[in-house]
């Protein structure tokens, strides 16, 4: 545990160092971003000193680390609010979207990969490989636009862009920031189904991309195990095919699958920018992109740190799960 904490601390410090350097090498004057180009020289100098830019870089870095540890990323130029408040507002939207997406990807992707490996060369295997190939090759912005055109514009099966329809917008008290959960807490099932109709299409698209990756990796892991000698021995002993596949082969790929699923989930949580932009989803990916286009570096760096922290947390969580599923790692 001590080694894990040390590793996490070093990784986090490295992340903060990288984001600090990004903020210093970007061709944007942080003082002008605050005071504007028409500010007087006295105003410029006052803000320059207030931001601590007159101090050596190493001192500025230590100040930066101290602020981040207190949850202070500065103020957003775009919203005029603390960046931490903005992130707390937009991250639950991405969390909700990514969670539904990864559930979709796991529930369908893992069984598909297992069946494809067991029935190698069959029509099921061919379908699984085509699904994975299409998932990797199709641009998500094209799928998103076609999905909106077909399921929203033509068939009317799903809600349009945004998290809620106009009628339900801002009607549900925010408790967790996740519309589906908050509507259940409020007991408003009309708002729940409205929110569900808006999230199902973008979540399905993200889930499809996760499904493609998870099913391909599951198939690869299973093929490796099924070709091992201990599997042949188990079959010779008369074990049923179900027991061979699930109790031996699949049991031995669980640790590998944890890594695959964790990385896939982290990629969704970092903010699937194109998906959030196409569906006007107010998540962290959309927030960082808007901030970058507006030269709002406090928001960009704050969002980047949070995204990096997500990867670190999921890696630590994966390590903990390793200890559960693989006693040898204890």
């Amino acid at each position: 545990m001590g080694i894990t904490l040390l590793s996490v601390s070093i990784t986090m410090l490295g992340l903060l160092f990288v984001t600090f350097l990004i903020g210093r090498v970007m061709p944007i004057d942080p003082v002008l971003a605050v005071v504007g180009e028409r500010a007087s020289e006295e105003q410029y100098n006052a803000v320059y000193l207030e931001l601590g830019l007159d101090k050596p870089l190493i001192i500025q870095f230590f100040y930066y680390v101290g602020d981040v540890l207190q949850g202070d990323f500065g103020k957003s130029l775009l919203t005029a609010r603390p960046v931490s408040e903005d992130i707390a507002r937009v991250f639950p939207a991405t969390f909700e979207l990514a969670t539904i997406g990864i559930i979709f990807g796991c529930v369908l992707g893992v069984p598909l990969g297992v069946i494809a490996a067991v029935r190698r060369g069959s029509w099921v295997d061919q379908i699984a490989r085509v699904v994975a190939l299409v998932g990797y090759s199709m641009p998500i912005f094209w799928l998103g636009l076609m999905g909106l055109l077909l399921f929203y514009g033509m068939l009317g099966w799903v809600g349009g862009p945004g998290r809620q329809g106009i009628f339900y917008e801002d009607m549900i008290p925010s408790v967790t920031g996740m519309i589906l959960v908050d509507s259940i807490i409020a007991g408003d099932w009309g708002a729940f189904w409205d929110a569900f109709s808006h999230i199902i299409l973008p979540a399905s698209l993200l889930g499809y991309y996760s499904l493609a990756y998870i099913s391909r990796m599951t198939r690869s892991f299973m093929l490796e195990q099924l070709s091992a000698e201990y599997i042949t021995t188990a079959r010779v002993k008369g074990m049923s095919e179900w027991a061979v596949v699930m109790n031996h082969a699949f049991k031995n790929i669980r640790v590998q699958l944890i890594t695959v699923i964790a990385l896939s989930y982290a990629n969704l949580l970092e903010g699937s920018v194109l998906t959030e932009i196409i569906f006007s989803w107010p998540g962290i990916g959309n927030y960082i992109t808007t901030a970058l286009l507006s030269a709002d570096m406090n928001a960009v760096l704050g969002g980047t740190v949070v995204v990096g922290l997500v990867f670190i947390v999921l890696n630590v969580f994966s390590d903990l799960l390793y200890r559960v599923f693989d006693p040898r790692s204890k």
Side-chain angles (χ1 to χ4, degrees), residues 56-75:
L57 282 177
I58 188 65
I59 301 301
Q60 294 181 40
F61 175 66
F62 282 122
Y63 283 157
Y64 173 70
V65 172
D67 290 340
V68 170
L69 291 178
Q70 297 177 50
D72 183 7
F73 298 105
K75 280 192 175 182

Side-chain angles (χ1 to χ4, degrees), residues 80-147:
R81 290 193 298 263
V83 172
S84 55
E85 291 184 8
D86 286 342
I87 292 176
R89 175 175 51 84
V90 300
F91 187 75
T94 297
F95 180 79
E96 187 174 40
L97 183 64
T99 301
I100 295 177
I102 198 64
I103 291 173
F104 179 89
C106 290
V107 168
L108 297 181
V110 173
L112 183 61
V114 171
I115 295 172
V118 173
R119 306 297 182 190
R120 184 178 184 180
S122 67
W123 63 271
V124 177
D125 186 25
Q126 298 301 325
I127 289 177
R129 295 169 70 179
V130 169
V131 166
L133 178 62
V134 172
Y136 275 104
S137 59
M138 283 289 185
I140 196 166
F141 67 85
W142 185 84
L143 282 179
L145 292 174
M146 291 301 100

